Amino acid sequence: YQPKFKSCGLTICGVEALIRWKHPLLGLLMPNMFIRGAEKTGLIIRMGYWALEEACRQIKLWEKSHPQFLPVSVNLSAIQFEHKHLFSTLEELLKKHQVDPSYLMIEITESTAMHKPDFVAELLLRVAELGVGISVDDFGTGYSSLSYLKRFPVSELKIDRSFVAGITHGGDDAAIVQGTIALAHGLGKTVVAEGVETESMASTLRQLGCDALQGWCYGHAEPADIFAARLEPAA
């Protein structure tokens, strides 16, 4: 789990659930080492549902002990998002774990959202009607239509780390980030910057009006128990 912080005050405003594979021989593997294979074999479907259930289970544990960690965001691949049982499974998991839907957020990439925009808009509306939050990840790397962005019931846009990396140098990256923040705020959406690695990046993002920050500067991804213990205020 990796925290997201409000840019002003740096209080936690949610976390993102990130999957890792603890391989018996190779150690801890990052997603780029196994996600593509999981997609090719179809295992990504089971993996995605497992991640959703783990998030629901963790939400229930944190609901009273660490409410500041909520909502919990879960990434869904394009294959998972188009699976016919996604909506019914999501409903079942929320009911099974008695989770407040507002404590869960679904993340899809911009390219996933634009792959089948009409289908995506319809499904996202159903998900939003459940009360689950929706975030568009890697924003700025795809070719989204602004008309569709207006139709999607998205509550959050995450600026891709490729733009954040060059933001302190000014130029195109800073202009893109500034324009994205203005666009998102105009549509009533929250903006999160990914890949914030230095205080200089964070300072520039605050000046540009970014709502939340996520990255190594403030918090790495860690197992739930270690994450919670490290971020717990001292007695």
Side-chain angles (χ1 to χ4, degrees), residues 83-175:
H83 190 246
K84 62 182 179 180
H85 297 305
L86 173 61
F87 185 77
S88 60
T89 301
L90 183 57
E91 279 188 309
E92 290 169 8
L93 289 175
L94 290 171
K95 184 176 181 180
K96 175 183 176 180
H97 294 278
Q98 298 184 326
V99 167
D100 183 331
S102 67
Y103 293 159
L104 179 67
M105 181 172 283
I106 299 300
E107 286 193 20
I108 61 171
T109 63
E110 184 181 8
S111 56
T112 295
M114 296 311 301
H115 179 53
K116 295 180 180 178
D118 291 321
F119 165 80
V120 169
E122 182 180 347
L123 181 55
L124 289 182
L125 283 170
R126 295 178 68 195
V127 171
E129 285 171 358
L130 284 178
V132 174
I134 299 164
S135 175
V136 174
D137 198 9
D138 299 341
F139 190 78
T141 59
Y143 302 94
S144 62
S145 164
L146 296 183
S147 62
Y148 278 113
L149 185 60
K150 185 175 71 172
R151 284 178 54 194
F152 294 160
V154 173
S155 49
E156 176 183 278
L157 296 181
K158 298 186 77 174
I159 300 173
D160 187 70
R161 63 183 63 244
S162 62
F163 299 114
V164 175
I167 195 171
T168 56
H169 306 302
D172 292 344
D173 286 340

Side-chain angles (χ1 to χ4, degrees), residues 165-222:
I167 195 171
T168 56
H169 306 302
D172 292 344
D173 286 340
I176 289 171
V177 170
Q178 185 175 29
T180 300
I181 292 171
L183 168 66
H185 287 172
L187 295 173
K189 306 180 191 306
T190 299
V191 182
V192 179
E194 297 182 287
V196 181
E197 298 182 358
T198 67
E199 283 289 354
S200 179
M201 288 180 181
S203 177
T204 301
L205 287 161
R206 286 190 197 96
Q207 292 173 18
L208 295 178
C210 189
D211 302 295
L213 310 172
Q214 183 179 10
W216 290 358
C217 183
Y218 299 117
H220 290 249
E222 295 176 315

